Amino acid sequence: MKSNYVISINQLADFSNGSDAKKRRIIKQQKQPNKFMVAWYQLPKARIRKAISTNCDLEPILNGIEELKLRKPEMPRQIANRQVSLEALRRFVNIKLPKLLKDVPNEIIKKVPSKSIIINGVEIIISPDVIYKLKINEKVYIGGVKVHISKNNIFDNQQSRYISSLIYKYLKEVVAEEGEDVLEELCLSIDVFGEKVISTPNNFPKAINDIEFICEEVKSIWNVA
């Protein structure tokens, strides 16, 4: 099922506490995405995904730092990308991830039926950076991670809780198969420059209720933007 209103999970979090002007700008970008926009921070994103996928092994991060040190960019955009990418990887080293991710062998889920869910008529693209499956005491659990890298736009705790709540709901409704449970503490929003990891909150129903109201505002601005 598709919707006329589509927004990515990180943009929804950004929208949630933006000014009126910022909200309109976000909706215009979602309605008419720039197909030629250069993707920033691809190396740190890839290395962070790799690290999380391998029981939080820091070797991919450390190798990425060394690779970036050897690069000699010339264009201003490349110079900025290298500098922020280096800082992102160095900050990630200091982030404390859940012990379960480090201690319990996991299987990475790569194929999913859909990358999005619909809330209050709005399609929210979740597309977690990593989805993992773990076996604990003969029970199978799944969890997922969404990573945010932005030096000038750090998510606050509430925005991060919206993201982890949406990951939980998505995994529960779209990914989890029979006999699999979604583990709240392993549905994670990682803000690299905020150096924080936030899992699904205890007041999950309230978070989803808030998101429903946010989606209503997305639709109202979408229709006039």
Side-chain angles (χ1 to χ4, degrees):
M1 184 170 140
K2 295 292 182 182
S3 168
N4 292 327
Y5 311 99
V6 182
I7 190 167
S8 67
I9 185 172
N10 281 350
Q11 288 299 311
L12 184 80
D14 206 9
F15 178 96
S16 68
N17 71 351
S19 65
D20 289 344
K22 185 173 186 177
K23 287 177 178 179
R24 287 194 297 271
R25 186 167 65 251
I26 289 171
I27 295 303
K28 285 180 179 178
Q29 289 171 349
Q30 296 297 297
K31 288 180 75 171
Q32 297 177 323
N34 184 350
K35 295 179 181 179
F36 302 102
M37 185 177 290
V38 176
W40 288 75
Y41 318 133
Q42 289 303 295
L43 186 143
K45 286 177 181 176
R47 296 309 173 93
I48 289 170
R49 285 195 297 268
K50 181 68 174 175
I52 293 169
S53 300
T54 53
N55 288 102
C56 306
D57 181 8
L58 288 180
E59 186 176 353
I61 304 297
L62 300 176
N63 288 343
I65 290 172
E66 293 307 312
E67 182 178 330
L68 286 168
K69 284 180 180 179
L70 294 173
R71 288 187 180 180
K72 304 295 182 186
E74 296 179 358
M75 302 295 290
R77 184 193 66 79
Q78 295 172 333
I79 293 169
N81 189 67
R82 174 185 175 274
Q83 182 178 341
V84 176
S85 294
L86 263 172
E87 188 174 347
L89 290 177
R90 286 169 175 154
R91 283 180 180 258
F92 182 80
V93 171
N94 297 321
I95 292 176
K96 293 184 178 179
L97 293 166
K99 198 168 183 293
L100 278 176
L101 273 185
K102 299 178 181 180
D103 295 347
V104 181
N106 58 58
E107 171 191 341
I108 302 304
I109 299 174
K110 294 183 178 179
K111 291 185 178 180
V112 292
S114 170
K115 293 183 178 181
S116 62
I117 54 174
I118 292 181
I119 294 181
N120 196 6
V122 176
E123 181 179 357
I124 305 171
I125 301 170
I126 310 297
S127 192
D129 291 294
V130 183
I131 304 173
Y132 33 73
K133 184 186 298 188
L134 311 89
K135 184 177 282 189
I136 307 170
N137 296 327
E138 300 307 312
K139 288 196 68 175
V140 177
Y141 298 95
I142 62 173
V145 167
K146 194 72 181 180
V147 178
H148 177 61
I149 300 177
S150 177
K151 190 172 183 177
N152 300 316
N153 188 26
I154 295 170
F155 286 162
D156 62 25
N157 287 354
Q158 185 60 66
Q159 289 172 296
S160 295
R161 282 193 286 268
Y162 288 154
I163 290 171
S164 57
S165 297
L166 285 167
I167 293 171
Y168 177 81
K169 183 175 176 65
Y170 164 78
L171 294 178
K172 200 82 165 151
E173 295 181 359
V174 177
V175 180
E177 298 180 347
E178 188 175 348
E180 297 175 347
D181 287 331
V182 181
L183 201 57
E184 291 96 330
E185 65 188 278
L186 289 183
C187 295
L188 308 173
S189 170
I190 299 179
D191 191 294
V192 174
F193 279 92
E195 293 189 16
K196 61 176 174 275
V197 180
I198 292 188
S199 58
T200 307
N202 292 329
N203 61 345
F204 167 76
K206 181 184 182 306
I208 295 300
N209 189 58
D210 288 349
I211 291 166
E212 290 175 353
F213 279 102
I214 294 166
C215 287
E216 193 63 37
E217 189 175 8
V218 166
K219 291 189 292 186
S220 66
I221 294 178
W222 190 288
N223 290 328
V224 297

